[in-house]
Structure formats: C-alpha cells, structure tokens
Amino acid sequence: MKYLPAYRKMLLIRRFEERVAELHRAGLVPGFAHLYWGQEAIAVGVCHWLRDDDHILSTHRGHGHCLAKGADPARTLAEIMGRATGYCRGKGGSMHVAAFERGILGANGIVAASIPIATGVALASGLADDGRVTVVFFGDAAVEEGPFHESLNLASLWHLPLLFVCENNQYAISVPVQKRQGGRGAAAIAQAHGLETRRVDGNDAVAMLEASQWAVQRVREGKPVLLECATIRWGGHHSAQPTRRYRSREELQAAQAACPLARLEKRLIAQGEATPEELLEINAAIIAQVDEAERFARQSPFPEPGAATEDVYATQEGSG
Amino acid sequence: MPEITYAAALNRALAEAMREDPKVLILGEDIGSLGGIFTVTDGLLAEFGPERIRETPLSEASFMGCGIGLALCGWRPVVEIMFSDFLTMCMDQLCNQAAKLRYMSGGQATIPLTVRAPIGARNSAAAQHSQSPQAWFAHTPGLRVVLPATPADALGLLATAIECDDPVVVLEHKLLYGEKGLVPAGRHRVPLGKAEVKRPGTDLTLIGLSRMTQIALQAAEELANQDVDAEVVDLRSLVPLDRETVLASVARTRRAVVVDEGVIDFGVTAEIAALISTELFGELLAPVSRVGALATPVPFSPPLEKAVIPQVEDVTAAAWKCMQGKPTR
C-alpha cells in the first residue's frame, strides 16, 4: 500500500502541535494545551480507514484525532486560540474541539467520559443499520475509570459497531502505568468482555495502518473491537509542564528514538515511494499550511462578551 | 376527562410519544417485563419491543452516556434512573456532558434527552432512596428541570420534555405515583417554565412544587378554616423558572411561604426567597418564610423521617408566623 497520504497527515499533526506549543509559550493559547506529538501514527492509522460520515470521539489530547479525521487546521487553531471563528466559537478550546460536519463529536476534558457517549453513537448507527463506524479514542488512564468497563459490557451485550482505541502513552500526568494498573491492560479487559482485540506498536505507522484496517472492517461488520496501542507521551501532560521530576532523560530519548515519523520516512525512501527531496517539499508545504492556519487564527476576532450566554440551550426560555 | 393515576399519566405520555415519533426510545433498569419498579413503563415492552424499550445493565453512567450519544444522532431517548439518588452514579454524564456539550461545541450539539427519576421520602426507604435533589440540577446550566405535582401535569410536562431539544430532568415524586386526577382525554402539553396558580387567595402565597404543592394545598384548606385566605402557586418548572407568576402573586398578597422537600440549606426555597425579597423588598409585610427538609440525610425510622420531611403543620406554622410578620427559617 502507499503510505504517503498517512505520512502527510502525521506530519501535519506534528507541525501543528509544534506550532501550538510555540503559540502557547507566546501567550496566544489560553489555558492548557495537551499535545499529541509523538502519537501521530495512532490517530492517522485509525482515521485512514474511516469514511467522512463515520464518527470519532476524543480526549483532552485531541488535536491529532481531529486533524486526522479531516478537521480544518485553521478553524481548529482558531478554537485553540479562543477565537470566534473556531469550530466551537471559542467556547470549548483545546480540550473540546468538535467538528460535527466532519463526524468529530468532540474532544472531552473528563477522562473516559466520551466512552459511554460513544456507545450511544454506535447504537444509533446499529439501529439505523447505516454501516457507520464509531471510534472512541482514550488514554491508558481511562482504563482505570468505571465507565470504560461498563461501556465494554454494553458494546459486547448489544453488539455495537464501536472501535475502542486505547492509546497507552505510559503516563497519567506523572504516574507511570505500572504504578497504576495491576492487571494485564486494556486488551485483556476487553477480551474478558468478549471483544476482539489486538495489541499494536503505536509508534509504527505501518503496523497501525494494518491493524486499523482489520479493526475498522470488523466494526463495520457489526463487531466491537479494541485496539491497544503502545506509544509514549513526548511532552509534559500539557505543553508547559516539565517532566524531570518523574521521567528520566534517557527514558524519553529512548522513546523518541522510536519516532513514528522518522520510521515512516525511512520506509517511504526504502520502498521508493518518495525521495528525501520530495519529503522536504512535503514538509515545506505543510509548514505553509500551518502558517496559513496561524495567520487565519491571529487575524480572527475574539468572541463578543455577549456570546457567553449563547448556546446554553437549543430552545428559547419557557418555550420547551 | 378520565381520572387516572400519576404513574398511568406518565405511562400514557411515554406511549403516545413513542407512537408519534419512532425516534423515541427508553433506556433503564427493569423497564421491560416488570414495567418499571413504579409501573411507569408497564405494557410498553409488549407494544414497542426490546429495541426501543431497552433494558440496561446496572451501569447508570454508561447508559446515561448512551442516551447522550443517541440524542447527538437525532434520537429522543428517555433515560429512566430508578431512584433520583442513583443520579449520583451518572453525575458526570448528566452535568459535565449532557448539560455542557452544546455550549462547549458552540451550538453544534443538540441533545434532546429526557431523564426521569423519582424523588422524595416514602415508606422508610432511608437515606439513599429518599432524596429530593432538584437543586443540584437546577444549579447546572444546560439542564431543564421540571417536577409535576398532578397526573395532568405529569402527562403534559413529560410530553413536552420529550419534544424539547434540550436535556430535561423530569423528577417524579414517589408518593404521587398512586394519586389520581383528571387528565385531558386528547393531546395535552404543559409548557416548560409556566407555573400555575392552583388556588387563588388574598392573604399570602404558598409556593410549592412536586408533592409539596399538594401539601401546600392541604395547608391552605386548614388556614381557610381559620379565616386565612392562602393562594397556592405550583412552580412546575425550576428551569426555566416562571418568575412572573411568582412575583405577580406575591405582589398582590405581600406575604410568601416557599415549600420544597429538598434540603432547605442552599436549596430551591432560598432561590425563590431571594427572588421575592430582591424584587418586592419594599412591599413585603413579612420576611419570606421557607419550609424544607432538615439538613440531615433522610432517616429510616418513621418518626424520624416525619421529623425531617416537611408536613402540613410545618407549612401552616410558617404561614401563621408570616401572617404575624415574624421571620421563620
């Protein structure tokens, strides 16, 4: 198969997240920015096989999922910068980017909370028999939350067309997974609920694409599936947080040696899909795309204060 | 007009909504062959089948979330939580998700979700099956909160809630399920946010909701025997709140007693008292009186339960103090 389309998406996420970090340091991103760099192969590997009308639900570390599913980088960045032109009119920000027109039903600031919602989205597709796939992304810490277990049971009991994607990036803020979980991880728990599962090297784009192709196909046939993807969080929990109190430099260097982009670049060149010069051109084009997104976001106005009271309800007060 | 019970009225609202709109479905525990532990879903499984009368595992957080996901996709789910006390199991899904997804998405999400749950003390069910937590949800922007006090309002408010494009929490009182009342035979809707004057009067206004409206009406009868003419207003909705009807009544009577079964501290009665005191400060003949549950968990033993939950005599006592211009709680 050709890997350049996935490579372009992964590179877009990397360059986008680098820009978010810069803008955060410059004071142009309010609040927190939980960055997805280093984990690009997972979102891109899964979303590569999705249709435009398939649904995804995401986490507080959700920029990458949104871009992989086709969100416009300019409107995404405008949202992260709190501008009126953002997807959510500046009401959601980094942790709550949603683009319903692209099937992106929202990132979520509560760990594991999008998993139960995803069961309902998948049930709607099952009841309509519309062949749509629902994907819910979540981190390793979500495995410790009750709704994860409840929702695996619902998916199994009701044969929901739902793909659970656990991104095991090893850390919940500062505590490594070995200090938080006594069991054998997300896949083993899902197997106990009767789901089909696969463990994947989430830093290997080729492996992610292969496993995701299988998984999305199984879900489209009506079987719930869980993918457990091993990766590593490159940065702090959010972009401004240092990691030296809980993670050694050697550990991070070893993880970054497994960079999914670098690995895919080698593969592209080795199999003759692209030359190093062509990859440089792609990189330049993507930087230009991120530049354009930044220009759009910087030039966009902040919301008017009066917008604060809009969008609380769909119906007018008293009308029901 | 037929006379039916409050539970039968809720059942009728559900059945009519499901016949009218194939996108209405119900999620909850024991709602199938048992018909719900308070009989509200009686007979619905036979008519609508297990896909739409969807019995759930004991996973309140997940089936509440499931309802939200269905609502995002154009369904009109009704989620039954067996006791309102169990809403604590799904507070994140209800208060962080259902209530906020529209706002956080800048209006992209529409969540026509109805949540039904029984409130109130009944038959020594003790502290985890007896609460009246309406203030929690009224305090959460994004939710609408209604509490029917009669069979007709049970029918009309639930029907309107299911048709509403916002999440609506319908809190039903366990002691009202068996109460009978006249209900319109045909299509019946009660708008959200419209209080009702249940009994006109001139001397003071008793403001209640849910079963406390019935308690206030009984208190008004006793007061009438002693030549006090009490008006009774049933709030019916907390969100939206019908400020106009409340203020119009108290502007005439110039005295108010607010009655709610929720814990009195930081509760519904405080909000209504603040509204009246702010808007009608110079016109009141007495401080606004409040009657509510004592600030304890609801106890088990019958005399203790009775001591904590507002009784008719508590309302009449508050009314007398109000008539004398004395402050009560």
Side-chain angles (χ1 to χ4, degrees):
Chain A
M1 82 176 267
K2 298 287 185 199
Y3 295 109
L4 258 184
Y7 176 77
R8 285 177 201 274
K9 274 275 164 70
M10 288 168 60
L11 194 61
L12 171 64
I13 295 169
R14 178 70 58 88
R15 296 290 169 258
F16 184 92
E17 293 293 63
E18 288 166 352
R19 192 65 57 90
V20 171
E22 279 175 33
L23 292 166
H24 192 271
R25 278 193 295 273
L28 286 161
V29 172
F32 303 106
H34 306 86
L35 301 179
Y36 195 72
W37 50 19
Q39 302 179 207
E40 299 93 344
I42 300 170
V44 171
V46 172
C47 292
H48 186 82
W49 306 103
L50 298 183
R51 307 190 319 217
D52 280 355
D53 67 343
D54 287 332
H55 289 122
I56 69 162
L57 293 95
S58 169
T59 69
H60 58 286
R61 198 175 304 287
H63 305 166
H65 307 132
C66 296
L67 294 174
K69 185 64 171 61
D72 173 10
R75 293 190 65 197
T76 303
L77 189 57
E79 183 59 37
I80 292 167
M81 289 169 65
R83 306 303 168 113
T85 55
Y87 272 115
C88 307
R89 307 175 66 202
K91 298 272 180 62
S94 167
M95 284 192 278
H96 304 289
V97 178
F100 277 46
E101 67 200 31
R102 305 297 306 174
I104 301 162
L105 299 186
N108 206 303
I110 305 292
V111 170
S114 53
I115 305 175
I117 300 171
T119 69
V121 176
L123 178 57
S125 286
L127 289 170
D129 198 20
D130 59 14
R132 289 158 114 176
V133 165
T134 301
V135 179
V136 60
F137 293 96
F138 53 92
D140 45 297
V143 172
E144 296 143 34
E145 297 279 6
F148 167 69
H149 300 256
E150 294 184 12
S151 297
L152 285 173
N153 182 43
L154 279 190
S156 170
L157 182 71
W158 292 344
H159 311 291
L160 299 178
L162 177 54
L163 174 56
F164 296 80
V165 180
C166 177
E167 301 184 64
N168 183 354
N169 74 7
Q170 317 290 328
Y171 282 90
I173 303 187
S174 67
V175 183
V177 67
Q178 297 82 0
K179 289 186 179 176
R180 308 190 326 264
Q181 293 180 21
R184 290 177 294 119
I189 295 166
Q191 280 164 20
H193 282 285
L195 270 70
E196 297 179 35
T197 69
R198 208 172 269 188
R199 288 195 177 86
V200 198
D201 178 353
N203 295 329
D204 180 348
V206 174
M208 272 310 305
L209 283 160
E210 285 173 3
S212 302
Q213 183 179 22
W214 164 80
V216 169
Q217 182 58 36
R218 290 301 282 159
V219 174
R220 225 177 274 294
E221 292 162 3
K223 305 273 187 223
V225 173
L226 182 139
L227 289 180
E228 182 178 336
C229 314
T231 183
I232 186 80
R233 197 185 74 211
W234 281 20
H237 171 62
H238 54 80
S239 71
Q241 188 192 57
T243 61
R244 61 182 176 276
R245 280 170 176 256
Y246 57 86
R247 186 161 73 177
S248 70
R249 181 171 300 188
E250 292 72 29
E251 185 185 333
L252 182 61
Q253 282 169 343
Q256 291 183 335
C259 170
L261 270 166
R263 286 165 76 172
L264 189 55
E265 278 168 12
K266 276 186 194 155
R267 173 105 181 198
L268 287 166
I269 293 166
Q271 72 178 34
E273 204 181 329
T275 64
E277 294 72 28
E278 285 166 339
L279 294 184
L280 285 173
E281 285 169 24
I282 291 170
N283 189 46
I286 283 172
I287 289 172
Q289 192 183 2
V290 175
D291 287 344
E292 172 57 24
E294 181 183 335
R295 191 194 57 78
F296 171 82
R298 279 178 181 265
Q299 290 180 356
S300 293
F302 283 101
E304 294 293 325
T309 55
E310 296 170 0
D311 303 320
V312 182
Y313 296 101
T315 53
Q316 293 302 307
E317 181 116 333
S319 70
Chain B
M1 281 211 280
E3 189 177 44
I4 63 174
T5 65
Y6 184 93
L10 293 163
N11 180 272
R12 192 181 128 191
L14 292 171
E16 287 177 357
M18 293 188 74
R19 282 178 210 130
E20 274 180 32
D21 184 350
K23 290 290 194 184
V24 177
L25 59 69
I26 308 180
L27 297 154
E29 296 158 355
D30 295 289
I31 62 172
S33 44
L34 183 66
I37 65 161
F38 294 107
T39 74
V40 172
T41 55
D42 189 31
L44 299 183
L45 176 64
E47 182 173 351
F48 300 104
E51 282 209 332
R52 291 176 70 201
I53 304 300
R54 189 165 283 264
E55 278 191 316
T56 63
L58 275 71
S59 307
E60 286 85 0
S62 276
F63 70 78
M64 181 69 78
C66 188
I68 295 166
L70 284 161
L72 286 172
C73 295
W75 287 78
R76 292 191 176 274
V78 179
V79 171
E80 173 173 317
I81 300 295
M82 189 182 280
F83 288 84
S84 63
D85 313 70
F86 305 170
L87 283 163
T88 52
M89 305 297 293
C90 42
M91 281 299 265
D92 174 62
Q93 287 297 324
L94 186 54
C95 295
N96 264 330
Q97 309 298 331
K100 295 178 185 168
L101 289 180
R102 180 174 185 82
Y103 191 79
M104 295 190 303
S105 68
Q108 295 177 79
T110 299
I111 304 173
L113 170 75
T114 300
V115 178
R116 296 182 36 246
I119 62 164
R122 168 183 174 267
N123 196 22
S124 288
Q128 293 169 342
H129 292 72
S130 299
Q131 291 171 89
S132 293
Q134 45 268 32
W136 297 350
F137 305 105
H139 199 67
T140 303
L143 301 178
R144 299 200 179 280
V145 185
V146 301
L147 300 95
T150 66
D153 284 353
L155 170 64
L157 282 171
L158 180 54
T160 309
I162 294 170
E163 290 170 351
C164 180
D165 279 341
D166 288 311
V168 185
V169 180
V170 181
L171 297 174
E172 307 158 359
H173 200 291
K174 294 188 278 289
L175 278 173
L176 295 177
Y177 280 128
E179 292 293 307
K180 284 189 170 179
L182 295 174
V183 172
R187 181 187 156 84
H188 180 55
R189 297 289 183 277
V190 174
L192 309 184
K194 290 288 176 212
E196 185 184 29
V197 177
K198 304 292 284 186
R199 181 190 199 282
T202 54
D203 292 334
L204 82 167
T205 302
L206 307 179
I207 300 155
L209 73 162
S210 188
R211 178 171 172 264
M212 287 300 126
T213 294
Q214 305 297 351
I215 296 294
L217 284 165
Q218 292 174 37
E221 287 303 311
E222 295 199 3
L223 291 165
N225 293 336
Q226 295 164 76
D227 292 328
V228 174
D229 185 18
E231 180 150 305
V232 177
V233 172
D234 178 15
L235 291 175
R236 302 203 287 195
S237 292
L238 290 178
V239 184
L241 181 66
D242 184 355
R243 295 177 170 81
E244 292 73 24
T245 299
V246 170
L247 293 173
S249 173
V250 181
R252 275 187 283 103
T253 62
R254 304 172 72 188
R255 293 180 164 96
V257 178
V258 194
V259 195
D260 175 45
E261 191 172 327
V263 170
I264 192 163
D265 297 32
F266 302 96
V268 167
T269 59
E271 180 66 29
I272 305 298
L275 168 73
I276 295 167
S277 303
T278 304
E279 296 294 325
L280 299 172
F281 178 67
E283 298 166 50
L284 297 174
L285 298 174
V288 179
S289 287
R290 300 195 288 137
V291 180
L294 302 185
T296 71
V298 178
F300 165 70
S301 183
L304 297 180
E305 184 188 82
K306 191 179 176 205
V308 165
I309 301 300
Q311 308 293 319
V312 174
E313 53 267 32
D314 298 319
V315 180
T316 53
W320 276 116
K321 284 195 175 166
C322 195
M323 290 305 294
Q324 292 156 9
K326 291 179 186 166
T328 53
R329 183 52 202 260

